[in-house]
Amino acid sequence: FQLYGYCYQDSNDIPDTLTTITELGSPLEMIQLLQTSWEDRFRICLSLVRLLHYLAHSPLGSVTLLDFRPRQFVIVDGELKVTDLDDASIEESSCTSNSDCFMEFPARNFTLPCSVEGRCQNMNEKRNLYNAYRFFFTYLLPHSAPSSLRPLLDKIVNATGNRNKHGNAKYLSPSPSVNSEFTQKCVKSANTKYRRVPEAFIPDENYRCWPSYHHKGCLLSVFDVNEAIEICDSYSQCKAFVLTNQTTWTGRQLVFFKMASNHIMPDPDKITYVKVTD
């Protein structure tokens, strides 16, 4: 979280008080997040992975968030950031045997090894990972994910929820694999023919689809024209689509899907494809 300034107060009325000024974020509403595109939810999960890695390797050592819940986070420019650090701790639990390193959660329990130094190994990191799994990953990652990515996403989600060698922050790195595969997704060309109309746009003829980047129309991200054709063919009401010059944060192109092409307007920044009917 970006810190812009702070003020330390020590008076009779307010002793030992630190006031901080931080960047402004939007409260995290899980229901609203589930209604956004998978690409936006993946971005949030990716920022959470970066946070988990930092907490596990911070300059102070491994840091755990004892109150790791959605209400402790905000969204800033599409990324997740923690805003409440009152319950952060760098203390690893002391132990004399493995039974002292018992971690209890509502749906699953873990017992971690007790080190020769008398500390529960990686307990702070494991607590953060499992809370990230049960509050974020299990809802945001699999829901409406691209079918080609689901096996890899299942592996990532299971790594945070299971007690195995991959259940730590250094093994969670979806950015080079998931992000690349999602951005470079290629599909076979459909048999349906489309007529290309350069420098053209269809201002009306909208229909709603889910998930969409536009609440009054069907605006989705694609890798190329072939994927746009596949999407248009999958909607019975789709008769045309418009390639824009806008891209998402992964570089995928935004495309408007239309239910007719009766009124085409000139636009130098767009390309329209119209379904050819026999």
Side-chain angles (χ1 to χ4, degrees):
F1 210 67
Q2 183 66 44
L3 178 67
Y4 291 123
Y6 62 90
C7 178
Y8 175 74
Q9 288 180 281
D10 187 6
S11 63
N12 293 330
D13 296 332
I14 310 177
D16 299 328
T17 299
L18 181 66
T19 302
T20 61
I21 303 172
T22 62
E23 60 186 324
L24 182 64
S26 302
L28 191 150
E29 299 290 345
M30 191 61 67
I31 294 179
Q32 292 180 2
L33 286 182
L34 291 174
Q35 296 173 345
T36 62
S37 69
W38 181 86
E39 193 172 359
D40 287 343
R41 284 183 273 118
F42 171 65
R43 184 181 185 182
I44 290 173
C45 291
L46 185 59
S47 61
L48 180 54
V49 168
R50 296 192 185 104
L51 173 62
L52 291 171
H53 186 271
Y54 177 81
L55 291 175
H57 305 90
S58 80
L60 298 175
S62 182
V63 179
T64 187
L65 301 180
L66 299 175
D67 192 10
F68 198 116
R69 287 182 286 180
R71 68 183 184 184
Q72 308 290 4
F73 297 85
V74 295
I75 303 294
V76 180
D77 296 329
E79 298 203 3
L80 189 72
K81 297 194 177 185
V82 62
T83 182
D84 191 346
L85 296 176
D86 290 347
D87 296 306
S89 173
I90 60 173
E91 294 295 327
E92 295 278 15
S93 298
S94 59
C95 59
T96 57
S97 65
N98 291 349
S99 61
D100 295 329
C101 301
F102 181 73
M103 298 175 63
E104 185 175 6
F105 295 96
R108 190 171 298 177
N109 301 326
F110 302 97
T111 299
L112 302 180
C114 179
S115 69
V116 294
E117 293 83 10
R119 295 289 179 180
C120 296
Q121 293 184 14
N122 302 322
M123 178 169 278
N124 287 348
E125 185 177 0
K126 187 64 181 182
R127 181 183 289 109
N128 289 339
L129 284 169
Y130 190 73
N131 281 326
Y133 159 79
R134 69 189 185 108
F135 286 119
F136 293 97
F137 295 144
T138 190
Y139 298 109
L140 300 182
L141 274 181
H143 182 56
S144 72
S147 57
S148 61
L149 297 181
R150 284 173 186 164
L152 183 56
L153 293 173
D154 288 342
K155 181 179 179 181
I156 293 172
V157 172
N158 289 336
T160 60
N162 294 329
R163 177 176 159 261
N164 55 35
K165 68 177 181 179
H166 299 296
N168 53 66
K170 70 179 181 179
Y171 288 99
L172 292 179
S173 55
S175 93
S177 53
V178 178
N179 192 24
S180 175
E181 193 170 341
F182 178 61
T183 304
Q184 301 179 21
K185 178 189 175 188
C186 295
V187 296
K188 295 181 180 179
S189 299
N191 294 326
T192 309
K193 294 182 180 180
Y194 286 79
R195 176 169 57 91
R196 184 177 184 271
V197 185
E199 298 185 355
F201 178 64
I202 304 174
D204 301 311
E205 309 295 349
N206 291 315
Y207 67 90
R208 293 183 179 181
C209 66
W210 186 89
S212 174
Y213 286 91
H214 194 280
H215 69 282
K216 291 185 178 180
C218 187
L219 180 63
L220 303 174
S221 69
V222 303
F223 172 68
D224 59 9
V225 174
N226 285 339
E227 186 175 356
I229 291 174
E230 182 188 51
I231 293 174
C232 190
D233 286 346
S234 67
Y235 288 96
S236 60
Q237 64 265 55
C238 183
K239 305 300 180 185
F241 59 86
V242 180
L243 299 180
T244 73
N245 61 353
Q246 296 176 299
T247 59
T248 65
W249 68 279
T250 59
R252 287 167 61 88
Q253 193 169 11
L254 290 176
V255 176
F256 275 107
F257 293 88
K258 305 287 184 173
M259 60 182 180
S261 57
N262 299 324
H263 185 52
I264 299 180
M265 297 285 293
D267 191 321
D269 296 325
K270 297 179 178 63
I271 302 173
T272 293
Y273 284 79
V274 179
K275 186 179 291 187
V276 177
T277 56
D278 296 332

